[in-house]
């Protein structure tokens, strides 16, 4: 089993080009099923989750090729309407194929999805929205069986602005007669990127980025070319690494507006941050000072996907930083591993209190999930001595060759 071996204590310096967004490319790959044509997607990162999505597309009958960062999907022929259990278990985002398969085939058979174990993440909102659109759904022994009756657009009011439920509803609604309105929709930038792709295919969708999205149903069939937006969570991760280690790092090809809550928190901790166009430069000297309370919220609030990385930074900062996790109830699984490295953290329910400033030391740790794994890498980079991070298949789900990027910034990190 591969692991990352890290000798910490070195400042980082240099420039990083931010990759395409994992949380954007996955729903857009699923959306190619709706568009019965040739779809050319640029800036696609080579991630385990992307590879899993491509496997699902090929299983359905699509022809998929990759050349560098460009993935081409010919979805003109769909031969199947099911996703087998082994593919569903590879990633949580596999449920995003439910809406597109129903829209294209009028029926679907999936099992409950896999992915990181972050506590209960029910897909009830997805299924309730699809039922409202006219889909008959039967849940049986972990299997989800769907048959589309007469699908009609209507108002779908989400009780929580779920990203996945918003995306699945958008995609299924393209097959509905009339107009569908998603009220209390997720506002994440990745939703707007999905809308832009669908508009290029000929879909009539407006409002993404706001709390209400309108979809006018109608079949789409148009050869489409699209560039995936930059990954704001990857950007946040490398900003946190630079902050924890000290140094001078510039991110290019990113969207500074998308990481405003991250840069604000790091600035409060003592980092010097400057923005120029699509670049962010961070300069930091150790030690940082404690940051204001970090409360995870739906976008445009602080992203839950950056909470663990910011906690690693807080471990290196003098003073106490409080974290309140409002999205996932089991997103502190990385805490025990950080404590192996000397971190002082107390957890009570959804609250974590970090007493930072004590020197971190190298240790053998295990990635518990994707973002928790990234936090361990950041802590190891800032620690004294050698650390070994295991279970890095979690990290590979969301970061393309993380050790190569960090080595280019001066880190002593290698994969064994």
């Amino acid at each position: 089993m591969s692991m990352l071996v890290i000798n910490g204590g070195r400042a980082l310096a240099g420039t990083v080009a931010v990759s395409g967004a994992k949380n954007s490319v996955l729903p857009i790959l699923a959306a190619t099923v709706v568009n019965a044509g040739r779809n050319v997607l640029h800036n696609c990162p080579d991630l385990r989750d992307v590879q899993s999505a491509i496997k699902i597309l090929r299983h359905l009958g699509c022809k998929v090729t990759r050349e560098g960062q460009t993935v081409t999907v010919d979805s003109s022929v769909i031969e199947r309407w099911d996703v087998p259990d082994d593919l569903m278990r590879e990633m949580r985002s596999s449920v995003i194929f439910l809406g597109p398969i129903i829209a294209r085939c009028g029926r679907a058979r999936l099992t409950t999805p896999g992915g990181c174990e972050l506590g209960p993440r029910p897909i009830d909102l997805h299924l309730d929205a699809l039922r409202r659109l006219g889909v008959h759904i039967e849940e049986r022994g972990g299997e989800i069986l769907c048959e589309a009756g007469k699908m009609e657009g209507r108002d779908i009011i989400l009780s929580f602005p779920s990203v996945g439920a918003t995306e699945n509803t958008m995609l299924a609604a393209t097959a509905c007669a009339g107009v569908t309105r998603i009220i209390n929709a997720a506002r994440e930038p990745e939703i707007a990127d999905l809308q832009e792709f669908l508009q290029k295919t000929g879909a009539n969708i407006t409002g993404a980025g706001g709390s209400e999205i309108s979809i006018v149903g109608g079949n789409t069939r148009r050869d489409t070319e699209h560039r995936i937006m930059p990954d704001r969570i990857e950007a946040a991760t490398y900003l946190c690494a630079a902050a924890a280690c000290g140094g001078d790092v510039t991110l290019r090809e990113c969207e500074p507006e998308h990481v405003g809550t991250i840069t604000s928190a790091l600035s409060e901790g003592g980092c010097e941050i400057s923005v120029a166009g699509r670049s962010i430069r961070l300069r930091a000297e150790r030690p940082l000072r404690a940051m204001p309370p970090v409360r995870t919220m739906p976008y445009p609030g602080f992203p839950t996907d950056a909470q663990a990385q910011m906690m690693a930074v807080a471990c290196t900062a003098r003073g106490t930083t409080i974290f309140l996790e409002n999205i996932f109830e089991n997103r502190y699984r990385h805490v025990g591993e950080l404590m192996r490295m000397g971190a002082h953290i107390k957890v009570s329910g959804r609250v974590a209190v970090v007493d930072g400033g004590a020197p971190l030391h190298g240790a053998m740790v295990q990635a518990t999930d994707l973002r928790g794994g990234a936090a361990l890498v950041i802590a190891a980079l800032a620690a004294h001595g050698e650390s070994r991070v295991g279970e890095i298949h979690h990290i590979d789900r969301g970061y393309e060759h993380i050790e190569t990027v960090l080595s280019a910034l001066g880190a002593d990190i290698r994969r064994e």
Side-chain angles (χ1 to χ4, degrees):
M1 204 53 120
S2 296
M3 66 174 56
L4 293 174
V5 181
I6 302 167
N7 286 291
R10 302 176 67 165
L12 303 182
T15 301
V16 175
V18 177
S19 303
K22 165 186 177 288
N23 291 337
S24 182
V25 68
L26 297 178
I28 288 176
L29 283 170
T32 63
V33 173
V34 175
N35 182 41
R38 185 172 181 268
N39 307 270
V40 180
L41 305 178
H42 301 292
N43 201 31
C44 290
D46 188 13
L47 307 173
R48 285 175 61 96
D49 276 9
V50 173
Q51 295 164 8
S52 297
I54 289 173
K55 289 179 189 176
I56 292 174
L57 288 170
R58 287 174 173 156
H59 171 82
L60 295 173
C62 299
K63 297 177 181 178
V64 187
T65 59
R66 175 189 274 276
E67 292 186 13
Q69 297 298 104
T70 297
V71 172
T72 302
V73 182
D74 182 348
S75 58
S76 55
V77 176
I78 296 293
E79 299 172 341
R80 305 181 64 103
W81 46 274
D82 68 303
V83 180
D85 185 62
D86 59 331
L87 293 180
M88 288 295 297
R89 288 179 181 274
E90 288 191 13
M91 63 173 184
R92 180 73 188 184
S93 300
S94 54
V95 73
I96 196 59
F97 280 89
L98 184 58
I101 294 173
I102 291 171
R104 180 71 182 273
C105 304
R107 55 182 177 171
R109 183 173 68 233
L110 288 74
T111 59
T112 52
C116 294
E117 297 177 9
L118 303 177
R121 291 195 284 179
I123 60 172
D124 294 355
L125 290 178
H126 304 237
L127 302 183
D128 289 346
L130 293 173
R131 288 188 174 104
R132 290 273 296 160
L133 294 177
V135 180
H136 174 75
I137 301 175
E138 181 181 352
E139 299 176 69
R140 186 174 61 199
E143 203 171 46
I144 304 168
L145 304 173
C146 304
E147 288 283 345
K150 184 180 180 182
M151 293 180 65
E152 295 184 351
R154 60 180 61 215
D155 288 355
I156 305 296
I157 303 173
L158 298 178
S159 60
F160 178 83
S162 160
V163 173
T166 299
E167 292 167 341
N168 250 330
T169 305
M170 288 171 66
L171 292 164
T174 60
C176 293
V179 178
T180 299
R181 288 195 310 158
I182 307 173
I183 300 168
N184 196 30
R187 298 168 58 189
E188 274 73 2
E190 293 82 6
I191 303 289
D193 203 28
L194 175 61
Q195 173 181 277
E196 183 180 343
F197 170 79
L198 289 170
Q199 288 173 337
K200 290 177 180 177
T201 70
N204 187 346
I205 302 179
T206 57
S211 58
E212 184 175 313
I213 300 173
S214 177
I215 307 102
V216 180
N219 293 328
T220 64
R221 183 185 291 269
R222 183 184 297 174
D223 289 349
T224 303
E225 194 164 351
H226 182 75
R227 183 174 180 83
I228 303 298
M229 62 171 276
D231 194 319
R232 61 193 173 98
I233 305 303
E234 180 184 89
T237 299
Y238 293 131
L239 288 171
C240 287
C245 295
D248 187 346
V249 171
T250 298
L251 305 185
R252 60 182 180 86
E253 299 177 26
C254 63
E255 294 291 347
E257 179 185 349
H258 294 169
V259 291
T261 54
I262 310 297
T263 53
S264 177
L266 294 175
S267 293
E268 293 278 356
C271 297
E272 180 183 341
I273 295 175
S274 55
V275 173
R278 300 184 73 218
S279 295
I280 304 173
R281 182 181 183 184
L282 182 146
R283 286 176 284 188
E285 294 185 5
R286 300 176 69 184
L288 300 178
R289 58 180 176 266
M291 292 163 285
V294 175
R295 299 178 177 88
T296 64
M297 298 289 288
Y299 189 86
F302 193 97
T304 183
D305 279 354
Q307 173 258 108
Q309 301 92 308
M310 190 62 73
M311 186 177 289
V313 177
C315 291
T316 71
R318 288 179 177 171
T320 300
T321 303
I322 298 172
F323 289 79
L324 178 60
E325 174 56 57
N326 292 305
I327 307 300
F328 296 125
E329 68 180 46
N330 196 22
R331 195 138 209 183
Y332 290 140
R333 298 179 67 219
H334 55 281
V335 166
E337 300 301 299
L338 288 173
M339 292 175 67
R340 288 176 180 267
M341 305 175 75
H344 295 166
I345 307 171
K346 294 180 180 178
V347 175
S348 177
R350 293 181 178 269
V351 178
V353 179
V354 180
D355 291 320
L360 299 178
H361 55 77
M364 174 73 78
V365 292
Q366 303 289 327
T368 56
D369 55 76
L370 169 55
R371 306 307 175 183
L376 297 180
V377 170
I378 292 169
L381 292 170
H384 297 293
E386 182 183 275
S387 296
R388 291 176 173 262
V389 183
E391 300 293 331
I392 60 173
H393 60 92
H394 290 297
I395 298 173
D396 292 338
R397 287 186 45 236
Y399 298 92
E400 185 174 1
H401 310 304
I402 192 172
E403 72 278 11
T404 302
V405 174
L406 292 169
S407 291
L409 296 177
D412 184 349
I413 177 173
R414 68 183 187 276
R415 182 180 296 247
E416 283 189 355

